[in-house]
Amino acid sequence: MEHTFGNNTWPQIKAALEADAPVVAILPCGATEAHGRHLPLNTDVIISDGMAAYALPALEEAGVVAFMLPSLPYAPAEYAAEFAGTLSVSAEAAAGVIFDIARGLKAQGFACLALANSHFDPANVQMLREVTGRIETELQLPVAFPDFTRRKLAQTLTDEFKSGACHAGQYETSLVMASRPELVDEPARQASNDNPASLTDAFAKGAKTFEEAGGPQAYFGYPRAATPDEGVQTYETLAAALVEAIRAKLPA
Ligand SMILES: [Zn+2]
């Protein structure tokens, strides 16, 4: 068995579902969105894939069979819509895809859908909360969704993350440096001066674009302070929360 869902054949998936252990499908949720001048559009997909990958060994140890579904690279991302390369889809469209994936998982006998999300646009987080509720009530499929914008989980993350200056800054740049360093434009990172503007404060005050929020280059925070070591540490924190959320949804 391969943890990457799409690399398995259908008989391999069938065998996993027929065995005794509960089978979990992890859907990494990202976006295709501008992330400063130095990080790729795919940043949130890379981070969500990494969160899922770091969670796999702990799940295996706990006797949980888990697969990583192909990641979802489209999400509501209107704040970044003015930047070339951002492809924002409606909350309704994204929720429809997630709901339909859940319907398929339920019909096939999966025990749980886990959402590994790192795209914190409020419209995306709201959509994920709502679709989680709909899947659990309408399909009776448990959904593990560690929501890092909730205070309890946010407190486990870095100071920059908690400050709200957290888009393509030290936090996300460290994560990409840890897993896909070749995709970081290093001269552009070094040229990205500190931008302490808090994106979450700006959202709360009604800003509708990164520019209005004080991020004319589509980044907030401190890209120059990023390190691969911080990225690895953060992956471990993200993965631990994902594992805990999954275990809470499975029969003891
Ligand atoms: Zn991001």
Side-chain angles (χ1 to χ4, degrees):
M1 189 200 89
E2 250 258 26
H3 285 300
T4 303
F5 187 74
N7 290 350
N8 290 275
T9 62
W10 73 260
Q12 287 169 319
I13 299 296
K14 184 167 186 276
L17 290 165
E18 284 172 356
D20 283 341
V23 184
V24 175
I26 305 173
L27 179 64
C29 299
T32 299
E33 179 184 50
H35 275 82
R37 302 185 74 92
H38 63 291
L39 292 182
L41 300 169
N42 216 25
T43 288
D44 293 347
V45 173
I46 291 167
I47 294 172
S48 296
D49 281 351
M51 185 194 320
Y54 272 75
L56 291 172
L59 289 167
E60 191 159 347
E61 212 166 289
V64 177
V65 178
F67 292 101
M68 258 177 81
L69 295 173
S71 27
L72 183 64
Y74 300 109
E78 288 300 319
Y79 287 98
E82 65 198 292
F83 295 93
T86 298
L87 296 173
S88 177
V89 304
S90 69
E92 195 186 11
V97 171
I98 296 170
F99 189 85
D100 286 352
I101 290 169
R103 191 201 311 276
L105 295 170
K106 173 69 182 180
Q108 294 182 25
F110 284 81
C112 173
L113 167 65
L115 301 176
N117 176 58
S118 61
H119 175 52
F120 301 119
D121 182 307
N124 188 57
V125 173
Q126 182 62 27
M127 179 277 290
L128 291 172
R129 288 177 188 165
E130 283 172 15
V131 80
T132 292
R134 279 184 54 214
I135 292 166
E136 291 198 321
T137 54
E138 294 176 34
L139 300 176
Q140 306 290 313
L141 178 69
V143 181
F145 172 40
D147 183 349
F148 295 97
T149 66
R150 299 279 194 205
R151 187 175 303 262
K152 187 170 161 247
L153 284 182
Q155 274 171 352
T156 66
L157 295 172
T158 65
D159 288 342
E160 186 200 72
F161 185 91
K162 284 179 277 193
S163 79
C166 59
H167 179 82
Q170 179 177 345
Y171 170 86
E172 288 193 317
T173 304
S174 295
L175 289 161
V176 179
M177 286 169 81
S179 48
R180 298 298 302 275
E182 76 282 9
L183 296 181
V184 180
D185 183 330
E186 194 54 27
R189 180 174 82 88
Q190 292 300 342
S192 298
N193 293 325
D194 299 351
N195 177 12
S198 170
L199 195 48
T200 47
D201 288 355
F203 288 162
K205 287 183 189 133
K208 291 278 177 276
T209 66
F210 282 163
E211 171 108 50
E212 284 175 16
Q217 301 294 334
Y219 76 90
F220 297 79
Y222 309 87
R224 292 180 303 184
T227 65
D229 284 353
E230 178 184 313
V232 169
Q233 266 181 19
T234 299
Y235 274 128
E236 282 166 359
T237 307
L238 296 171
L242 183 62
V243 169
E244 198 182 316
I246 290 170
R247 296 192 67 177
K249 291 289 176 175
L250 296 175

